[in-house]
Amino acid sequence: MGEQQSERGIQRLVFAVNGQRFELSHVDPSTTLLEFLRSETPFKSVKLGCGEGGCGACVVLLSKYDPVTDQIEDFTINSCLTLLCSVNGCSITTAEGIGNSKVGFHPIQERFAGFHASQCGFCTPGMCVSLYAAIVNAEKTLRPEPSPGLSKLTVCEAEKAIAGNLCRCTGYRSIIDACKSFAADVDMEDLGLNSFWRKGESNEVKQSRLPLLRCHNAICKFPEFLKEEIKAAASVASEGNCCYSPVSLQQLQSLLQPNEAKNGVSTKFVVGNTGMGYYKELEQYDKYINLKYIPELSMIREDETGIEIGAAVTITKAIEVLREENRGEFYQEGKMVFIKIADHMEKIASGFIRNSASIGGNLVMAQRKSFPSDLTTVLLAVGTMVNLMAGQRQERLTLEEFLGKPPLDSRSVLLSIRIPRWNLSRDVSSKTNTEILFETYRAAPRPLGNALPYLNAALLAEVFPCETSNRIIINSCCLAFGAYGTKHSIRAWKVEEFLTGKVLTIGILYDAVKLLETIVIPEDDTSYSTYRSSLAMAFLFEFLSPLIDTNAEISNALLNGYTSYLLPKNSRTKQNYDQYDEIKSPTLLSSAKQLFQLSKEYHPVGEPLTKSGAAIQASGEAVYVDDIPSPRNCLHGAFIYSTKPLARVNGIKFEPGLDEVSALISFKDIPGENVGSKTKFGTEPLFADEVTQCAGQRIAFVVADTQKQADMAANVAVVDYDMENLEPPILSVEEAVKRSSFFEVPPFLNPKQVGDISKGMAEADNKILSAEIKLGSQYYFYMETQTALAVPDEDNCMVVYSSIQCPEFAHVTIAKCLGIPEHNVRVITRRVGGGFGGKAIKAMPVATACALAAQKLGRPVRIYVNRKTDMIMAGGRHPMKITYNVGFKNNGKITGLQLEILINAGMSADISPMMPHNMLGALKKYDWGALSFDIKICRTNLPSRSAMRAPGEVQGSFIAEAVIEHVASTLSMEVDSVRHINLHGYDSLRLFFENSSGESLEYTLPTIWDKLALSSSFEQRTKMIKEFNKHNRWVKRGISRVPIVHQVTLRPTPGKVSILRDGSIVVEVGGIELGQGLWTKVKQMTAYALSLIQCDGTGDLLEKVRVIQSDTLSLIQGGFTAGSTTSESSCEAVRLCCKILVERLIPLKEKLVEQMGAVKWEILILQAHLNAVDLSTNTLYVPGFSSMSYLNYGASVSEVEVNLLTGETTILRTDIIYDCGQSLNPAVDLGQIEGAFVQGIGFFMFEEYSENSDGLVVAEGTWTYKIPTVDTIPKQFNVEILSSGHHQKRVLSSKASGEPPLLLAVSIHCATRAAIKEARKQLLSWCGQDGSDSTFMLPVPATMPIVKELCGLDSVERFLKWTMATKSGNSA
């Protein structure tokens, strides 16, 4: 089909989606596949998560048919980046096409559900497609046929199948188990909790219980009609749509007319369009040229001198070619080089990006736009050549010359690259025992890629043994470095020249490292510039240091990837340590344990049932707000926000000729009050009036025919600001204090001081005074961004569909803004694609803006906020500054803690006045003796901060651990001993928590603390880690055990239960399903509570229950879904409803039993309808004072490994014990515990929510904001739910699980600190100091640059100097 294309563009676009034929003409060439799928097809599983190719929510399987070979190529792509014009002749498979509720779910979808691997479900379809593609491609291999039900995938491949997919809910462990269940080499014992088998069953039985993967499940069928059209060479593309597909260089040259650029005609070259994910396009191009069909750009040629790869060849294809195994032994060195290039390429972006991204596109982005490319660095080191076409002329350049040219113009095209084959016949054939050594390096936040590096390097050397000494001579070398804040990758020529011909010694290596320091210098304004430079020196050291004192033997180990100082040595220490270290396999994760006790007392409550709706979430059939089909004449909106923190807005202008804008709505258009959100502490305006209060504040709402047009209009809008005669903005808590800018905390929320602080400090043997901690913010990163749809209804009414955690509050806000009675507003929420607090207050203005626009224009209006805008406006977690004084005894017992806390609330109160109460609830987990505090809520010119999962509690818990760590360091004590001595006894617990403390038997923390020490082998591993650290220079390990005490409060919650004529049951609750399993628990409670009628058939009631969407006119007083307790309070509301219904049914049941004997449920309900029994009731559960508040307990042990050369922290193992009371659903609660913990890892270790000097967020998407991924969670993740027995004041003795476990992630941070402490001791010893001063503050998040800085940015130089001095001393 491709051969028939011409430069004119052709008549039609033909492709298939899930087997359905689509034929299009006159396609907008900028339209993406995702836009088409979501707007023009019924397939809504394809989600927009980021629009950058960085999250995997939009992944589809693309299949291409080659009529010559009769072969089908299947691979995943990002539909959010792939242009629709580029899928001509292709077959697209979405999650619905894999399986669905109508034709049957695919085993992948069933196993995702059964392994409890879907919570909010927004990311699940993309995960399923990624795994499906991996299985399909594995089946094409010649591997042995696997056992029934399994695929040809390996465990390692199964894990990596979803490495590029993000999930914010689950913590990934359950997802990985679902993936691994398909692997041919899986050990069923390694798979965690699922709904398929029971504990203790044999592996054979377990395998037989899995949904069976049959041959047809693992084969992607290419539509026959499309094959026939391809064979018939049907035409493609559309005439006059400015999208061209030349099939020869001549046609391409004819398209690149020299006068077009002069006339302002803009041209875009396209292969995979993945560059759009990084360089966002604000305007459309005049001409799109698809380069994929030009043979010279798609060819791959190999001969004895090297491999030539066309510029349009994808990175994935290049990796396959470089890894080919049919190269002869003669080319062993060249093969090694090719394989290591391929290995490095596999860390570029993610699999679905590499499947589309071209080699040439990556290099040209680096050349034209200084993209921080990995490819340029790796290819530079091996002497790559490039073939360039400029107009009618072709030229051949070195890659270095290509990168150094002025940026290519629109008439210049990269045709191909040539990677030379490195073998010993080159230049050094006369030397004996000469070897080629080649290594590539990258330091990035994620080991498997999907993250830009801080620096990358590729180092190649030809070396041979010195004849006169036991040393190595460097014959030649090539040292390339890139991505460190420079225009492009560079060769370190001066270092190469210095090393060439030298006998390698410690002194020579030191001089080379110091010389490199003068060369690798990031440009001004590069973040972490000193860290980046230190990485270059570290990588050079790591490359060359194994060559020193090698006894003149260059073995195959060196050739194939030699052992460096980074690897733990094969010592007795290592062997002993392995008794407690189960992470030995090359897989990402090892087996994990999930332990809990089942209770049948309230069946089916307490059963680990699969989450309600998990299967339709996996198939993409679950409907989220943006999946609701657009009503007729629907418009789309986008926010225009301020980029200045305090400024007058004089006006907003658009470019002339921008005809797509239907309306621009601002505060002047509001008929009621200018209110966008409302809490009990105050309101926030929907739009800024004359003066903006922060960068990121909403100024206006632009409305257009499509979301794309609205977003583009908002992007190009020019806001006229005026800052004359305005006070300077308040951008810090310190400035807020100076100007007395605070929000008030209501008296009922003010926490009480504990004890006499003066007495406590007087009793202390030691004091730490005026110590400071600073904590930053965190973004929610829900996979589904803010979204709403407003539809005008009759009689001045408004129906609003909103992805929100508190529809009731949006209802009130919309009515006030529109100036209409509340009974004219209806807010409907079915499910939310992740919330974490960000879909509570922050969702209100999104819904309100749509409603306002819909009212003004008399048409439906919807919005799906793009990720950048969402991040800028979200506010996120509260940053704060803490100053503390602490007094303590010589044995570590703390006698008094004094705190001054400044909380940055932003421009409006939101929920900030609750923060002191929340913080103190978590901070009081230790017995401080006396506790005094002064907490101020600072009003600043920044976006208002809002509730984020464990708001205040996570900061309070961290402050407590920071104080404990500081005390332990000051006393040179083991920090675990200091923690233990300051744990509460029951008496001190009652003193600190008063009414929340419960009975003494409910205080389970001491039991958890001791039990965890045993189950995690804490003491033994601590000893082993000490030995490990003694024997390993460049890797240090740390371990930490931390407790949590987390106070939660129940709120009034409504419920409604109705029994229909056929015996099926409809339930409504005030709580919203966010992925936390609320609907599942409510269904279980309904089935249990109605089964108390005790008639035949009530054992199957669970399948008869449906929980329906929230509707603010159907069930009022819904309140907030927040604070971890909404599930249990919703369950209690439903239980009360069921109790009423059972009481109504009992008289009739008794009567029927007398008449008929046993009576079935269906008969009973039918008779009840006939006898006019009221079978619908609603209640409002109001918790009593004594049961309103209670404490949650848990503890975790975490072990980490820190790479001293890069600062990378690897989480080796985490063990958690958490008290859930009697869990309402252990599977759901385990998912909540794991997911919360991993979100906490993000806060403590990865997520930097950075702003510029005006307070405008600059972390705008997946490129700059890194949440945890499958390769950054604990390698071994063990969780035990403690069943702590009966709690009379709890809902069926249950306890909350949504937020408290997040606090346990501080154990990762503390373990990292312990590892750094060992590194600092070593560093000081190299300087001749004893290393006893271990006091330092580890910031949050503890990112790689931070960790490396604390371990010593100059550690390599210090080590080399120390080594030289030591050898010099020994010689003397």
Side-chain angles (χ1 to χ4, degrees):
M1 184 182 275
E3 286 75 2
Q4 299 300 315
Q5 298 182 68
S6 75
E7 74 276 9
R8 286 295 303 158
I10 317 175
Q11 302 304 318
R12 59 196 177 109
L13 190 65
V14 179
F15 58 97
V17 180
N18 297 333
Q20 293 185 28
R21 185 179 188 277
F22 287 87
E23 181 175 334
L24 307 173
S25 59
H26 304 293
V27 176
D28 179 344
S30 69
T31 301
T32 65
L33 177 58
L34 179 137
E35 289 167 347
F36 172 79
L37 290 173
R38 291 195 59 78
S39 63
E40 304 298 328
T41 78
F43 307 117
K44 300 301 173 83
S45 67
V46 182
K47 310 295 186 191
L48 179 60
C50 65
E52 300 175 326
C55 73
C58 69
V59 168
V60 298
L61 183 75
L62 184 140
S63 302
K64 286 184 175 180
Y65 174 65
D66 186 338
V68 177
T69 63
D70 195 32
Q71 296 294 311
I72 297 168
E73 186 181 7
D74 303 291
F75 52 91
T76 51
I77 59 167
N78 290 94
S79 63
C80 72
L81 300 178
T82 301
L83 294 179
L84 183 60
C85 288
S86 69
V87 302
N88 184 71
C90 297
S91 175
I92 307 298
T93 305
T94 70
E96 296 100 330
I98 296 172
N100 56 66
S101 60
K102 295 178 179 64
V103 302
F105 294 111
H106 191 278
I108 289 175
Q109 295 158 338
E110 291 176 311
R111 293 194 200 180
F112 261 74
F115 276 93
H116 313 290
S118 182
Q119 289 188 19
C120 87
F122 199 80
C123 70
T124 311
M127 297 268 187
C128 290
V129 173
S130 292
L131 179 58
Y132 177 66
I135 292 174
V136 165
N137 284 307
E139 291 306 306
K140 296 178 184 178
T141 65
L142 299 177
R143 298 170 186 169
E145 288 300 317
S147 302
L150 303 181
S151 73
K152 292 183 181 180
L153 275 181
T154 65
V155 166
C156 192
E157 289 170 338
E159 290 178 328
K160 290 183 177 179
I162 53 97
N165 295 75
L166 300 184
C167 174
R168 194 56 151 167
C169 297
T170 64
Y172 298 103
R173 194 272 315 155
S174 56
I175 295 173
I176 288 295
D177 278 352
C179 295
K180 283 161 60 172
S181 74
F182 289 95
D185 57 341
V186 68
D187 183 346
M188 291 291 162
E189 290 294 327
D190 289 347
L191 301 180
L193 175 67
N194 61 78
S195 62
F196 303 118
W197 60 70
R198 299 181 186 88
K199 190 175 180 180
E201 292 181 331
S202 68
N203 282 358
E204 292 74 18
V205 171
K206 288 177 179 178
Q207 189 172 318
S208 70
R209 293 189 185 280
L210 287 170
L212 189 61
L213 179 70
R214 302 182 188 277
C215 291
H216 70 273
N217 294 139
I219 297 173
C220 183
K221 295 179 181 177
F222 197 89
E224 288 299 323
F225 69 81
L226 203 52
K227 281 186 182 181
E228 296 305 316
E229 296 206 31
I230 293 170
K231 288 175 181 175
S235 55
V236 288
S238 55
E239 181 133 17
N241 66 357
C242 305
C243 184
Y244 301 88
S245 298
V247 296
S248 69
L249 286 179
Q250 292 74 22
Q251 289 182 358
L252 175 61
Q253 287 169 335
S254 70
L255 286 169
L256 303 177
Q257 299 299 326
N259 61 331
E260 285 192 342
K262 294 178 184 177
N263 296 334
V265 175
S266 59
T267 300
K268 177 173 182 174
F269 296 120
V270 174
V271 177
N273 199 44
T274 55
M276 191 180 78
Y278 190 76
Y279 298 105
K280 310 296 188 297
E281 293 178 4
L282 302 183
E283 298 178 9
Q284 190 168 322
Y285 289 85
D286 299 308
K287 183 186 290 186
Y288 290 74
I289 301 177
N290 190 335
L291 301 176
K292 285 191 290 190
Y293 301 101
I294 302 173
E296 291 87 342
L297 272 72
S298 300
M299 62 79 195
I300 296 171
R301 281 197 294 264
E302 181 175 1
D303 56 30
E304 66 275 6
T305 64
I307 301 177
E308 186 166 4
I309 301 175
V313 171
T314 65
I315 295 174
T316 294
K317 192 67 178 174
I319 290 171
E320 291 173 4
V321 170
L322 291 166
R323 282 215 175 115
E324 280 181 9
E325 297 179 0
N326 58 356
R327 299 187 174 100
E329 287 298 314
F330 182 73
Y331 298 124
Q332 190 64 24
E333 297 87 357
K335 179 179 177 181
M336 176 270 292
V337 171
F338 290 155
I339 288 174
K340 290 193 173 182
I341 292 172
D343 288 344
H344 193 103
M345 284 183 174
E346 206 164 40
K347 295 176 183 176
I348 296 172
S350 56
F352 31 77
I353 288 288
R354 295 192 296 270
N355 292 338
S356 301
S358 65
I359 295 288
N362 188 291
L363 298 183
V364 169
M365 283 202 305
Q367 201 274 347
R368 293 182 64 189
K369 299 183 177 181
S370 300
F371 176 73
S373 167
D374 278 278
L375 269 183
T376 54
T377 304
V378 176
L379 296 178
L380 191 60
V382 295
T384 301
M385 303 292 293
V386 303
N387 188 14
L388 187 67
M389 183 180 79
Q392 302 296 315
R393 184 170 54 89
Q394 291 189 30
E395 58 180 323
R396 197 169 183 80
L397 307 167
T398 67
L399 179 57
E400 189 172 26
E401 290 169 338
F402 170 74
L403 293 172
K405 284 173 67 73
L408 299 183
D409 60 27
S410 60
R411 297 186 64 237
S412 298
V413 180
L414 179 64
L415 300 179
S416 65
I417 65 168
R418 183 170 188 80
I419 307 172
R421 187 186 304 280
W422 285 80
N423 59 69
L424 295 180
S425 64
R426 293 168 42 107
D427 302 327
V428 290
S429 57
S430 61
K431 304 232 176 23
T432 58
N433 295 327
T434 304
E435 298 288 0
I436 296 169
L437 304 178
F438 179 61
E439 289 292 338
T440 70
Y441 304 88
R442 76 194 305 268
R446 293 170 180 161
L448 286 184
N450 205 19
L452 291 176
Y454 294 107
L455 177 138
N456 53 37
L459 312 178
L460 184 146
E462 291 178 340
V463 300
F464 62 92
C466 178
E467 295 177 359
T468 59
S469 69
N470 256 2
R471 297 194 182 279
I472 297 294
I473 297 175
I474 299 177
N475 185 68
S476 66
C477 60
C478 183
L479 312 175
F481 300 90
Y484 60 85
T486 184
K487 286 184 179 177
H488 52 73
S489 303
I490 63 149
R491 287 269 300 273
W493 284 101
K494 289 183 180 179
V495 182
E496 293 174 20
E497 292 165 6
F498 171 77
L499 287 171
T500 299
K502 294 275 198 317
V503 176
L504 192 59
T505 65
I506 290 289
I508 291 296
L509 181 52
Y510 176 76
D511 291 342
V513 164
K514 294 302 288 182
L515 181 58
L516 184 62
E517 187 178 14
T518 66
I519 295 169
V520 178
I521 302 174
E523 294 182 352
D524 293 343
D525 300 325
T526 300
S527 62
Y528 304 118
S529 57
T530 313
Y531 166 68
R532 294 172 191 261
S533 297
S534 78
L535 288 172
M537 295 180 277
F539 290 150
L540 181 62
F541 168 76
E542 186 176 350
F543 180 64
L544 294 178
S545 58
L547 301 179
I548 299 172
D549 297 327
T550 62
N551 296 319
E553 289 186 9
I554 310 172
S555 66
N556 286 333
L558 287 174
L559 183 69
N560 296 321
Y562 47 81
T563 302
S564 77
Y565 281 108
L566 278 180
L567 298 178
K569 298 182 179 168
N570 292 322
S571 63
R572 185 175 295 245
T573 302
K574 178 69 169 65
Q575 293 166 11
N576 287 344
Y577 185 81
D578 283 343
Q579 297 173 44
Y580 305 101
D581 184 334
E582 298 175 26
I583 303 92
K584 301 174 190 171
S585 66
T587 55
L588 290 176
L589 306 182
S590 72
S591 61
K593 298 172 185 172
Q594 301 87 44
L595 302 175
F596 56 88
Q597 290 181 321
L598 276 179
S599 171
K600 300 283 187 181
E601 185 177 357
Y602 307 114
H603 178 80
V605 173
E607 294 285 333
L609 300 180
T610 299
K611 180 182 176 293
S612 174
I616 60 170
Q617 288 175 182
S619 68
E621 296 170 281
V623 178
Y624 300 82
V625 170
D626 198 53
D627 297 334
I628 300 170
S630 291
R632 190 180 174 196
N633 293 324
C634 188
L635 295 168
H636 299 254
F639 287 106
I640 298 173
Y641 53 82
S642 172
T643 57
K644 302 293 181 184
L646 196 64
R648 284 186 205 86
V649 177
N650 293 331
I652 300 172
K653 296 180 181 176
F654 296 100
E655 291 182 358
L658 191 68
D659 302 324
E660 293 88 355
V661 175
S662 299
L664 182 68
I665 293 171
S666 70
F667 75 98
K668 297 174 183 176
D669 299 290
I670 297 173
E673 299 176 23
N674 184 8
V675 54
S677 62
K678 182 181 185 302
T679 69
K680 58 187 173 185
F681 307 114
T683 62
E684 179 174 306
L686 178 59
F687 299 118
D689 44 28
E690 279 87 0
V691 179
T692 67
Q693 295 301 310
C694 73
Q697 185 180 13
R698 299 171 297 276
I699 297 177
F701 193 65
V702 59
V703 182
D705 286 338
T706 69
Q707 189 64 62
K708 185 180 194 176
Q709 291 171 349
D711 286 337
M712 290 184 75
N715 276 326
V716 300
V718 178
V719 181
D720 180 14
Y721 296 105
D722 173 18
M723 288 165 279
E724 192 175 347
N725 298 325
L726 290 175
E727 286 191 6
I730 300 172
L731 297 175
S732 68
V733 290
E734 292 86 353
E735 186 62 26
V737 171
K738 282 183 189 175
R739 289 160 65 173
S740 299
S741 179
F742 304 117
F743 291 108
E744 271 191 44
V745 177
F748 73 92
L749 278 177
N750 263 323
K752 294 180 182 178
Q753 316 279 331
V754 180
D756 185 339
I757 191 64
S758 301
K759 182 181 176 185
M761 295 300 279
E763 291 173 353
D765 299 326
N766 310 275
K767 294 177 185 175
I768 297 170
L769 302 177
S770 300
E772 280 192 5
I773 302 170
K774 286 189 176 180
L775 291 173
S777 186
Q778 183 184 19
Y779 170 59
Y780 307 98
F781 217 105
Y782 24 61
M783 294 302 295
E784 171 203 49
T785 58
Q786 302 282 5
T787 180
L789 165 64
V791 183
D793 203 354
E794 64 182 18
D795 199 20
N796 199 26
C797 291
M798 187 66 62
V799 180
V800 180
Y801 300 88
S802 175
S803 180
I804 190 168
Q805 294 175 236
C806 46
E808 177 196 350
F809 287 76
H811 186 128
V812 173
T813 303
I814 291 166
K816 284 185 177 296
C817 182
L818 272 54
I820 58 179
E822 288 184 25
H823 63 51
N824 282 28
V825 177
R826 186 178 172 205
V827 179
I828 296 172
T829 303
R830 179 174 294 178
R831 59 172 58 83
V832 172
F836 319 114
K839 299 273 183 73
I841 313 302
K842 293 294 182 176
M844 295 182 202
V846 179
T848 305
C850 283
L852 175 63
Q855 185 195 52
K856 178 179 173 63
L857 301 173
R859 293 170 64 180
V861 176
R862 75 187 314 161
I863 185 174
Y864 189 80
V865 179
N866 65 68
R867 182 64 69 179
K868 175 181 175 180
T869 302
D870 196 289
M871 292 190 75
I872 285 171
M873 300 196 312
R877 202 180 285 285
H878 289 75
M880 58 187 66
K881 177 182 177 183
I882 304 99
T883 306
Y884 64 87
N885 303 324
V886 60
F888 48 97
K889 297 284 191 181
N890 290 328
N891 66 352
K893 180 67 188 79
I894 294 170
T895 57
L897 175 62
Q898 209 166 8
L899 295 160
E900 288 184 8
I901 301 176
L902 302 175
I903 298 173
N904 194 332
M907 60 169 276
S908 64
D910 203 281
I911 58 91
S912 298
M914 293 177 62
M915 288 292 288
H917 171 270
N918 289 11
M919 287 186 69
L920 267 295
L923 192 142
K924 292 189 293 189
K925 65 179 177 178
Y926 290 114
D927 176 7
W928 303 110
L931 178 62
S932 170
F933 43 85
D934 178 16
I935 305 177
K936 290 184 170 64
I937 311 297
C938 299
R939 182 174 193 160
T940 59
N941 294 114
L942 293 165
S944 56
R945 311 298 173 173
S946 196
M948 181 172 180
R949 200 173 194 170
E953 289 99 346
V954 68
Q955 294 99 324
S957 190
F958 174 76
I959 293 165
E961 297 306 333
V963 172
I964 291 286
E965 296 265 1
H966 200 166
V967 169
S969 294
T970 304
L971 294 173
S972 297
M973 286 180 65
E974 290 289 343
V975 67
D976 195 69
S977 300
V978 178
R979 285 194 176 98
H980 187 264
I981 200 172
N982 286 291
L983 287 179
H984 281 292
Y986 181 63
D987 289 340
S988 64
L989 186 80
R990 289 185 62 191
L991 174 66
F992 275 73
F993 287 98
E994 299 183 317
N995 298 321
S996 303
S997 58
E999 301 298 323
S1000 60
L1001 288 175
E1002 296 178 50
Y1003 181 43
T1004 56
L1005 184 57
T1007 303
I1008 290 171
W1009 189 253
D1010 295 338
K1011 187 175 184 181
L1012 183 62
L1014 291 173
S1015 64
S1016 68
S1017 305
F1018 178 68
E1019 292 182 6
Q1020 298 96 317
R1021 287 165 61 202
T1022 301
K1023 290 174 184 175
M1024 289 298 108
I1025 286 170
K1026 287 180 180 177
E1027 288 299 306
F1028 178 93
N1029 288 336
K1030 283 181 186 177
H1031 293 87
N1032 289 277
R1033 185 173 288 140
W1034 297 108
V1035 174
K1036 300 294 180 186
R1037 289 181 176 178
I1039 192 167
S1040 180
R1041 174 173 56 157
V1042 301
I1044 60 160
V1045 178
H1046 187 289
Q1047 187 174 6
V1048 296
T1049 303
L1050 280 78
R1051 291 181 302 277
T1053 306
K1056 181 179 180 181
V1057 179
S1058 304
I1059 307 174
L1060 305 181
R1061 185 178 290 267
D1062 64 352
S1064 60
I1065 302 146
V1066 176
V1067 181
E1068 291 180 72
V1069 288
I1072 304 300
E1073 177 58 61
L1074 313 170
Q1076 82 281 44
L1078 183 146
W1079 280 8
T1080 311
K1081 290 180 176 180
V1082 164
K1083 283 182 69 172
Q1084 289 174 272
M1085 179 63 84
T1086 306
Y1088 159 69
L1090 288 178
S1091 71
L1092 297 179
I1093 192 72
Q1094 295 182 336
C1095 62
D1096 290 356
T1098 52
D1100 301 323
L1101 282 184
L1102 190 68
E1103 298 306 314
K1104 299 181 184 296
V1105 181
R1106 177 177 293 278
V1107 186
I1108 63 172
Q1109 63 194 19
S1110 167
D1111 182 333
T1112 54
L1113 288 187
S1114 176
L1115 193 68
I1116 65 169
Q1117 297 173 284
F1120 274 85
T1121 301
S1124 302
T1125 58
T1126 312
S1127 290
E1128 63 197 85
S1129 53
S1130 294
C1131 282
E1132 182 61 9
V1134 165
R1135 192 185 71 81
L1136 294 174
C1137 288
C1138 293
K1139 184 180 178 184
I1140 294 169
L1141 292 173
V1142 167
E1143 288 171 354
R1144 291 176 184 171
L1145 286 168
I1146 281 177
L1148 178 60
K1149 180 218 166 185
E1150 291 174 347
K1151 181 180 176 182
L1152 291 172
V1153 168
E1154 286 179 12
Q1155 296 173 356
M1156 306 166 55
V1159 59
K1160 288 187 175 181
W1161 169 259
E1162 288 80 4
I1163 299 293
L1164 173 63
I1165 298 307
L1166 181 59
Q1167 289 297 317
H1169 275 274
L1170 294 174
N1171 284 276
V1173 177
D1174 186 355
L1175 292 182
S1176 180
T1177 188
N1178 62 281
T1179 62
L1180 180 68
Y1181 163 60
V1182 181
F1185 179 76
S1186 62
S1187 61
M1188 184 181 294
S1189 182
Y1190 64 89
L1191 301 179
N1192 291 275
Y1193 307 108
S1196 65
V1197 168
S1198 291
E1199 179 184 350
V1200 305
E1201 185 172 274
V1202 171
N1203 180 324
L1204 274 56
L1205 294 181
T1206 64
E1208 180 181 9
T1209 301
T1210 302
I1211 306 169
L1212 298 178
R1213 177 174 166 180
T1214 289
D1215 295 79
I1216 293 172
I1217 299 181
Y1218 182 75
D1219 181 1
C1220 262
Q1222 283 190 248
S1223 172
L1224 297 174
N1225 183 319
V1228 167
D1229 286 334
L1230 276 165
Q1232 288 293 287
I1233 293 165
E1234 292 175 347
F1237 186 87
V1238 170
Q1239 197 169 80
I1241 292 174
F1243 176 65
F1244 287 114
M1245 302 301 294
F1246 296 110
E1247 299 176 34
E1248 297 179 277
Y1249 198 22
S1250 47
E1251 303 166 339
N1252 67 13
S1253 58
D1254 283 330
L1256 184 68
V1257 169
V1258 293
E1260 300 171 343
T1262 56
W1263 287 98
T1264 50
Y1265 193 84
K1266 297 301 178 186
I1267 69 171
T1269 42
V1270 67
D1271 51 343
T1272 56
I1273 65 170
K1275 301 288 185 189
Q1276 187 176 349
F1277 199 175
N1278 302 318
V1279 179
E1280 179 178 352
I1281 291 180
L1282 182 73
S1283 181
S1284 56
H1286 288 274
H1287 302 277
Q1288 295 301 321
K1289 297 175 183 177
R1290 304 282 74 76
V1291 176
L1292 297 192
S1293 300
S1294 66
K1295 299 181 82 171
S1297 64
E1299 292 175 296
L1302 188 144
L1303 280 56
L1304 291 170
V1306 74
S1307 62
I1308 303 289
H1309 192 271
C1310 294
T1312 305
R1313 190 183 186 283
I1316 294 170
K1317 181 178 176 181
E1318 293 302 309
R1320 289 167 68 86
K1321 283 182 182 177
Q1322 177 178 268
L1323 192 67
L1324 289 170
S1325 72
W1326 292 339
C1327 303
Q1329 301 175 34
D1330 63 6
S1332 59
D1333 182 15
S1334 58
T1335 300
F1336 62 93
M1337 184 60 67
L1338 178 60
V1340 174
T1343 57
M1344 289 173 68
I1346 296 291
V1347 171
K1348 166 73 171 170
E1349 183 176 356
L1350 288 170
C1351 291
L1353 291 172
D1354 59 348
S1355 58
V1356 166
E1357 300 99 294
R1358 288 204 198 184
F1359 168 70
L1360 291 172
K1361 286 179 73 174
W1362 170 77
T1363 305
M1364 288 189 291
T1366 303
K1367 289 195 172 185
S1368 175
N1370 291 340
S1371 300

